[in-house]
Amino acid sequence: MRKIIFILSLFFASLAQAEIKEEPLVLLFDSLRTCEKDSLKSELSQKIHNQLGEILQNPESFRYPFDKLVNLGKIYSDDKKVRIYTWSYPYTDRTNGYGGFIQTLIKDKVVTTPLIIAQEAYRPNQQGRINASNWYGSLYYNLFLVKNRKEKYYVALGWSGYNAASDFKVIETITLDGKGNASLGKMVFEKRGKNDSRIVLEYGAEAKIALSYDPSAKRIIFDHLSPIEPGYKDLRVYYGPDFTYDAYNLKKGIWSLEENIDARNSR
């Protein structure tokens, strides 16, 4: 009897996954990649958003690999309770458009939150909470849970192509309410007595910087950014890595800045 139940469960699981059709999305992503008109790119991204949003209403989508969608970013949190999907596309002025969703697993229910850019992508402030309906746009590549007593939240690391002159990387916090709905920003980053909701590292578009998480040490490590000349102190487009490293260390749910660390054993 148990064997029959097991076979039936596999059958229904495979049937549910068979209902998830990737091919139309593959074609849309291919068109988005090769399209040259900005207005058409926005339309194609909206079609991707609509079709993917429908698919993500299927609870089986949370575990579905979406292997054919190579241009769609897909990351799980380290506790496997949250999944983020993001994509981007360039405009002719070298800014970028973005799309995304956050999926949350609450018991046996999957809640999907669309990430929506109200007008255009922007560089977020380091303070304040951001609703999912006023997202700034980013490609998230790491996601992990932070727990402190009864409180918990997630931290996401991401990259954004800001404009023709500069990019930024972001250390973002994601808080979920009891229904699984997501909001961005939490005052948990401490730097010289000042608290921030997120950390934004803006730098020249030609530069490359590292931003990673070391789970064994519970710290976020990144390149220290400096201007190429002292006279460019207030112009982030002239900032880049100076071959030193900083870190945010976790203690009791708060991330405290430590500058000029030895990162040789942590990267």
Side-chain angles (χ1 to χ4, degrees):
M1 185 65 178
R2 288 183 178 178
K3 184 176 181 180
I4 294 174
I5 293 173
F6 176 72
I7 292 173
L8 286 173
S9 66
L10 289 178
F11 170 77
F12 286 117
S14 63
L15 184 63
Q17 290 204 353
E19 295 174 353
I20 298 177
K21 298 183 182 297
E22 295 181 72
E23 287 75 13
L25 282 170
V26 171
L27 294 175
L28 284 173
F29 271 112
D30 285 345
S31 297
L32 182 62
R33 180 174 54 83
T34 58
C35 179
E36 296 182 357
K37 293 184 178 181
D38 288 351
S39 59
L40 185 54
K41 288 180 181 181
S42 298
E43 292 179 12
L44 288 168
S45 183
Q46 186 60 51
K47 288 182 180 179
I48 291 170
H49 180 93
N50 295 341
Q51 291 192 23
L52 182 58
E54 290 183 9
I55 290 173
L56 296 184
Q57 298 307 309
N58 183 341
E60 295 297 325
S61 65
F62 189 82
R63 301 297 181 195
Y64 192 81
F66 293 102
D67 288 336
K68 295 179 182 178
L69 300 181
V70 295
N71 294 310
L72 176 66
K74 310 166 285 283
I75 60 168
Y76 284 106
S77 58
D78 53 358
D79 66 349
K80 305 301 181 185
K81 296 293 181 66
V82 179
R83 193 180 192 188
I84 298 182
Y85 308 81
T86 51
W87 67 93
S88 71
Y89 52 97
Y91 288 121
T92 53
D93 63 357
R94 294 182 62 187
T95 60
N96 288 270
Y98 297 88
F101 291 90
I102 299 176
Q103 270 190 321
T104 308
L105 182 63
I106 299 183
K107 296 181 179 179
D108 296 327
K109 184 179 179 183
V110 176
V111 178
T112 301
T113 302
L115 293 169
I116 299 172
I117 295 175
Q119 294 181 346
E120 60 183 20
Y122 63 95
R123 180 192 183 280
N125 294 324
Q126 294 203 158
Q127 296 188 342
R129 180 160 291 191
I130 295 174
N131 294 326
S133 59
N134 189 32
W135 186 44
Y136 48 84
S138 184
L139 297 177
Y140 299 116
Y141 57 87
N142 199 347
L143 182 66
F144 52 92
L145 174 66
V146 177
K147 296 177 67 175
N148 179 40
R149 298 178 182 176
K150 294 183 179 181
E151 182 184 50
K152 69 177 184 179
Y153 60 89
Y154 291 86
V155 174
L157 307 182
W159 171 90
S160 295
Y162 182 32
N163 55 37
S166 67
D167 298 337
F168 66 84
K169 287 197 173 182
V170 62
I171 309 172
E172 183 60 270
T173 51
I174 301 174
T175 304
L176 305 169
D177 64 17
K179 297 181 179 179
N181 300 306
S183 62
L184 310 179
K186 188 175 178 63
M187 298 281 279
V188 292
F189 298 99
E190 188 276 326
K191 176 182 178 181
R192 303 180 193 129
K194 176 185 175 183
N195 288 342
D196 289 313
S197 301
R198 66 187 55 79
I199 302 301
V200 181
L201 305 170
E202 186 180 351
Y203 55 94
E206 300 302 320
K208 295 184 181 299
I209 75 163
L211 170 64
S212 62
Y213 175 57
D214 181 355
S216 61
K218 292 186 177 180
R219 67 178 182 174
I220 301 167
I221 304 163
F222 53 95
D223 279 297
H224 182 88
L225 302 179
S226 299
I228 57 175
E229 297 288 346
Y232 295 143
K233 182 179 179 181
D234 297 323
L235 299 173
R236 301 300 301 189
V237 298
Y238 294 109
Y239 273 62
D242 63 5
F243 306 106
T244 65
Y245 301 94
D246 299 335
Y248 277 96
N249 299 301
L250 180 64
K251 185 176 182 181
K252 296 182 179 180
I254 300 295
W255 299 87
S256 297
L257 179 67
E258 179 185 1
E259 297 179 286
N260 197 23
I261 67 165
D262 184 353
R264 287 174 296 180
N265 297 321
S266 301
R267 299 176 70 247

